[in-house]
Amino acid sequence: EILVVLIWNLKAGRTRAMADTNVTMEVNSDEENLGFSQLMTPMSQNPSKKALDNATSGKLVKIVLTNFMCHKHIEVHFHDNVNVILGRNGSGKSAIMAAIIVCLGGKAATTSRNTSLQQFIRTGTSFAEIKLTLSNVGWESYEPDVYGNNIIVVRRIQKDSSSYKIMNGDGHTVSNKKDELIKILDKFSVQVDNPVSLLNQETSRNFLHSTNPRTLYQLLMKATQLDCILRDYEHTDERSAIMRDQIGKKQENLKDLEVEVKRLEELYNGVRGLQTLGDKLNTCTVELKWAYVKEIEHEAEMQETRIGKEQERVRKTEVKLREAEEEMQRVEAREREICSDLEQVNEEARTIETRRDTAHTALRAQHKEKQKVQQTMNGLKQEMKSKENERTALEKKIEETRQINFADHQSDHEQLLSQLEDAKQQRGQLLREIDECKQALQRHRQSVNDCSRDHRQITEQNDSLVGSIRDCRNSISKLKSGGSHKLDIFGRWMLVLVDAIKGNARRFQKLPLGPLGSMVTIKDQRWTTAIQKSIGIGNLYAFVADNSHDAAILRQIMKEVFQRERAPMKFMPFIIQYRYTDIPYSCPAMISGCPHLSVLSQLNISNATCANIVIDHCKAERTILIEGNNEAESYMLRPPSGVTSCYTIRGDQHLPGGRFYSNRDDPKRSKIFLATSTEHLIRAQQDQLTSLEQDQQELDRRMEQVKTSMEHAKSDQRDSQTHLSRLQQDEFRLRQRIEELNTQCEETQELKEEDIATYEEEVRECNEVIDELKAQLQERQISLDAVTQQVVEARKEVEAARSGADTITQRIESIQQLHGEAQQETRKVHFARGRCQQHINKLRETVTALESTLHEINNRLSDAMSQAEDNETERIDTERSTREIISEIRQIEKTIKDQEKEVGNAEAISRQLNAGLQRYSTLQSELDASSELLEKLKVTMQMRVGLVKHWRESVSTRITGQFHTLMSQRGVKGSMKVDHNKGELVLMVKFHEEQSSLATKNTKSLSGGERSFSTVAFIMSLWEVTDSPFRILDEFDVFMDMMNRRISMGMMLELARKQPHRQFIFLSPQDMSTVIKGGDYMKIIKMDDDPDRTHDQSLK
């Protein structure tokens, strides 16, 4: 296994690191299997479209930085060939390179800027984000069907973590794992820790100052990845040594195993005599398995027979169920038909009922008319009878008057008049006493009513006080325990209302605000009463809605809550419709020309909308506060123009012109809605609780007084009622006596002769009236006869309607009886159908259970068949039962056991022998294969080491030639000496000096600009043997003069122009206006001096 892993690693190779060489070698067919030909194939010799496509993949398209180092937000678009980023120190250009390294998985130390990722987060922010877009076109593109033409890598750095997000060109996330990013970078040959590809500012300065040959050699090895290949070879040598040790140990184990196999062979030869019994036992065992299979098959056949019978019962029952359903449909149709008939008959009954009601109405009207006529006739008859009686009485008086002796009755008449006068005086005295008694009774009743009213009022006040005391105590308890006081002070129903509003938040366009008083506090508690009076208790309870729709919904919720909580509707808050705003009015704390504070200056309002409402509705900015009434009255006689009203510390209001409204509420007992602090509110609540408890004691005292007064009033009322009854009885007796005396006086009254003529005139008038009444009676009799005839006809109509109603009623009863029978039949059919359905369900459950049992039997049969077929023998059709076979097997086993006591267990020895032989053969094969592979690996490593050395020399030669070519452009001869054994690389430079004499210099003796130029030429030489889609250099020209900078930059730009398939990014703080002339193959990006950039950095 170790050898397979090593060979696979060697086959994978470092094809990218060795791809851009000029070495071409031939290998034999054995090495082609290991991938040597692919490893050493040069790619730079064929600069075809394939090579261009390969280089195109992995280029930088765009980078977006958010809160990264000095950048708040910047977006940079890169040219696909040359990009020059210019800017002063501190402008943030190096941060772009650091962001590229960090986004591509580099460590913070690789950037040489910080030691941890969190240090890259911009000061004052909580995260940093880098979004880098890579090109994904060409032959070497990475999964183009998934990512498309671009791959977007996003790295987000937070205070305690960092994360990756890899997206396709459309912005859809493909992966969140760093492993995917590593695969992409390997595909594109991007190495973020390779200084040849990404030379940061710090590394650039150190490298330009460095003249150490070992450092230069290490750079060469890292750039060409030869160090990685050598480390892989060293690792392979270590693993090979481990493999040789393991092979030695297995060879020792093989000798021990050979000795054990020989011992088992000797034992096996001694127990071979038991083979016959073993074969017979095996035969019986196989027969037992097939007998068990046969028994299970028989059990399965029996189960299938039972299932068939149960399924047949199910089919029969389903037939009965279908018949029951058809019968149910027939019965239901008949029931619907009966219901239709019943509905039709009911409609006829309603019609007849309407007709009967109409007839009854007409009959009642005729009866009323008849009764009216009869009453009129009775009145006429009574009037006529009265007139006849009056006429008879007049005729009798005339006769008596003619015969009476006036002188004899004069004295009796005077005596009767005297008695009548006395009786009238007594009655008058009784009537005065009755009036006085009634007045006293009325007073007593009023007292009782007043006491009852006072009792009800006191009871209501007491109930209200009990609730207020309870609420006050609850508020104090919550305040002392640290609970919120803003809503408790508005009543127990306010919390329910606010919760209901929050629970219906989705119904509102904007959530209502309120109560208004919960958002207002005062600065000085002395002005609490005055400010509450100024704002108004109603406004403190009020809610604010943004629009009419929200106001209507809020009003509905209020009604529901107050009805549910049984709260008095008079306490329901009113709604202020006011458009919400976040900008409060700008009002001065002091009114111009007024030395006194305004109400607004003493308020702290947490919401801008509520603050504007207090200003608009309550004019808080134009209402002032003055402590004393005298000062307020004198000041408000001629107030400034901006003052509308004034409140004193007691809550009294003063208006301009001397108008004054006193606060009748007791400040100590007034409820406090606005407070400066919780302690202030607790003290106010405690004071209010004390006042409420005193009020309750006063109400209890008044209640006792009212109860006592009510008892006295009720007692006086009963006495006055008894006295009034006695006086009324006496008055009634006197009134009867007066009537009798009046009658007697009238009989004995003096009669004059001329009264007879008057009586006779009255008699004639009575006769005329009687004749007129008789005529009217005759007319009413005719009307009565007509009305009587109409009553008879109406009664006939009623009787006809009643007869029709009786007929319809009989029909309805008959149909209802049929409907009841149909319903009963429907219930029977439903019951029968339900029983059939239940029976089917039970049968189906039985079938399901049987099928489950059959499935288990089949599983057992399948297991038994598989066990029986494992012996690879034909099926045995045995007639013996399993019990007989088991008995024979036990007998054979007993015989074998008895013989094994003498010679041992033959089967166990055979198994051990076979296992030993198998292990010996396997171990021998493994050793042979491992030795062969190890030998091949040794040969392969020798060849690879030779190839690498040859390739290393070739790379050195190519770099030296390229370095010489680049230095010659400066007019300087340069050479390079590479010692692979010592691990040193020395750069040699020959400059033209005076009189054209030549002087050879080491880079240590060069000036800063010359050394920088030499080092840049060395880096460009290394570019020839490295395959990276982009190269980034930061401040490479920091030590160059203008001439060296111009030459170096011209060399790099010329190289970049000739290699359009690669991308170059140069960062410099120098002014390149005289060095870079621009072109369509490059893009110059100038950074702003202000590092706080929030816009897209563009080409200037």
Side-chain angles (χ1 to χ4, degrees), residues 427 728 730-740:
R427 183 171 178 268
Q728 287 176 345
D730 294 342
E731 189 272 336
F732 178 72
R733 286 194 294 270
L734 282 174
R735 189 170 65 251
Q736 288 180 339
R737 174 64 179 165
I738 290 171
E739 290 177 356
E740 292 176 357

CSV table of all heavy atoms in Angstrom, one decimal, residues 427 728 730-740:
chain,number,residue,atom,x,y,z
A,427,ARG,N,-114.4,68.2,56.7
A,427,ARG,CA,-113.8,67.6,55.6
A,427,ARG,C,-112.6,68.5,55.1
A,427,ARG,O,-111.5,68.0,54.7
A,427,ARG,CB,-114.7,67.4,54.4
A,427,ARG,CG,-114.1,66.7,53.2
A,427,ARG,CD,-115.2,66.4,52.2
A,427,ARG,NE,-114.6,65.7,51.0
A,427,ARG,CZ,-114.2,66.4,49.9
A,427,ARG,NH1,-114.4,67.7,49.9
A,427,ARG,NH2,-113.7,65.8,48.9
A,728,GLN,N,-107.5,59.3,55.1
A,728,GLN,CA,-108.3,59.1,53.9
A,728,GLN,C,-109.6,58.4,54.1
A,728,GLN,O,-110.6,58.7,53.5
A,728,GLN,CB,-107.4,58.4,52.8
A,728,GLN,CG,-106.3,59.2,52.2
A,728,GLN,CD,-105.4,58.4,51.3
A,728,GLN,OE1,-105.5,57.2,51.3
A,728,GLN,NE2,-104.6,59.2,50.5
A,730,ASP,N,-111.3,58.6,57.0
A,730,ASP,CA,-112.2,59.6,57.6
A,730,ASP,C,-112.8,60.5,56.6
A,730,ASP,O,-114.0,60.9,56.6
A,730,ASP,CB,-111.5,60.3,58.7
A,730,ASP,CG,-111.0,59.4,59.9
A,730,ASP,OD1,-111.6,58.3,60.0
A,730,ASP,OD2,-110.1,59.8,60.6
A,731,GLU,N,-111.9,61.0,55.7
A,731,GLU,CA,-112.4,61.9,54.6
A,731,GLU,C,-113.4,61.2,53.7
A,731,GLU,O,-114.4,61.9,53.3
A,731,GLU,CB,-111.2,62.3,53.8
A,731,GLU,CG,-111.4,63.5,52.8
A,731,GLU,CD,-111.9,62.9,51.5
A,731,GLU,OE1,-111.6,61.8,51.2
A,731,GLU,OE2,-112.6,63.7,50.7
A,732,PHE,N,-113.2,60.0,53.4
A,732,PHE,CA,-114.2,59.3,52.6
A,732,PHE,C,-115.6,59.2,53.3
A,732,PHE,O,-116.6,59.4,52.7
A,732,PHE,CB,-113.7,57.8,52.3
A,732,PHE,CG,-114.6,57.0,51.5
A,732,PHE,CD1,-114.8,57.3,50.1
A,732,PHE,CD2,-115.4,56.0,52.1
A,732,PHE,CE1,-115.7,56.5,49.4
A,732,PHE,CE2,-116.3,55.2,51.3
A,732,PHE,CZ,-116.4,55.5,50.0
A,733,ARG,N,-115.6,58.9,54.6
A,733,ARG,CA,-116.9,58.9,55.3
A,733,ARG,C,-117.5,60.3,55.3
A,733,ARG,O,-118.8,60.4,55.2
A,733,ARG,CB,-116.6,58.4,56.8
A,733,ARG,CG,-116.3,56.9,56.8
A,733,ARG,CD,-116.4,56.4,58.2
A,733,ARG,NE,-115.4,57.0,59.1
A,733,ARG,CZ,-114.2,56.4,59.3
A,733,ARG,NH1,-113.9,55.3,58.6
A,733,ARG,NH2,-113.3,57.0,60.0
A,734,LEU,N,-116.7,61.3,55.5
A,734,LEU,CA,-117.3,62.7,55.5
A,734,LEU,C,-117.8,63.0,54.1
A,734,LEU,O,-118.9,63.7,54.0
A,734,LEU,CB,-116.3,63.7,55.9
A,734,LEU,CG,-116.0,63.8,57.5
A,734,LEU,CD1,-114.8,64.7,57.7
A,734,LEU,CD2,-117.2,64.3,58.2
A,735,ARG,N,-117.1,62.6,53.1
A,735,ARG,CA,-117.6,62.9,51.7
A,735,ARG,C,-118.9,62.3,51.5
A,735,ARG,O,-119.9,62.8,50.9
A,735,ARG,CB,-116.5,62.5,50.7
A,735,ARG,CG,-116.8,63.0,49.3
A,735,ARG,CD,-115.7,62.7,48.4
A,735,ARG,NE,-115.4,61.3,48.1
A,735,ARG,CZ,-114.4,60.7,48.6
A,735,ARG,NH1,-113.5,61.3,49.3
A,735,ARG,NH2,-114.2,59.4,48.4
A,736,GLN,N,-119.1,61.0,52.0
A,736,GLN,CA,-120.4,60.3,51.8
A,736,GLN,C,-121.5,61.1,52.6
A,736,GLN,O,-122.7,61.3,52.1
A,736,GLN,CB,-120.3,58.9,52.3
A,736,GLN,CG,-119.5,58.0,51.3
A,736,GLN,CD,-119.4,56.6,51.9
A,736,GLN,OE1,-119.7,56.3,53.1
A,736,GLN,NE2,-119.1,55.6,51.0
A,737,ARG,N,-121.1,61.5,53.8
A,737,ARG,CA,-122.1,62.3,54.6
A,737,ARG,C,-122.5,63.6,53.9
A,737,ARG,O,-123.7,64.0,53.9
A,737,ARG,CB,-121.5,62.6,56.0
A,737,ARG,CG,-122.4,63.5,56.9
A,737,ARG,CD,-123.7,62.8,57.3
A,737,ARG,NE,-124.5,63.6,58.2
A,737,ARG,CZ,-125.7,63.5,58.4
A,737,ARG,NH1,-126.4,62.5,57.8
A,737,ARG,NH2,-126.4,64.2,59.3
A,738,ILE,N,-121.6,64.3,53.3
A,738,ILE,CA,-121.9,65.5,52.6
A,738,ILE,C,-122.8,65.3,51.4
A,738,ILE,O,-123.7,66.0,51.1
A,738,ILE,CB,-120.6,66.2,52.2
A,738,ILE,CG1,-119.8,66.7,53.4
A,738,ILE,CG2,-120.8,67.3,51.2
A,738,ILE,CD1,-118.4,67.2,53.2
A,739,GLU,N,-122.5,64.2,50.7
A,739,GLU,CA,-123.4,63.9,49.5
A,739,GLU,C,-124.8,63.6,50.0
A,739,GLU,O,-125.8,64.0,49.3
A,739,GLU,CB,-122.8,62.6,48.8
A,739,GLU,CG,-121.5,62.9,48.1
A,739,GLU,CD,-120.9,61.7,47.4
A,739,GLU,OE1,-121.5,60.6,47.6
A,739,GLU,OE2,-119.8,61.8,46.7
A,740,GLU,N,-124.9,62.9,51.1
A,740,GLU,CA,-126.3,62.6,51.6
A,740,GLU,C,-127.0,63.9,52.0
A,740,GLU,O,-128.2,64.1,51.7
A,740,GLU,CB,-126.2,61.7,52.8
A,740,GLU,CG,-125.8,60.3,52.5
A,740,GLU,CD,-125.6,59.4,53.7
A,740,GLU,OE1,-125.8,59.9,54.8
A,740,GLU,OE2,-125.3,58.2,53.6
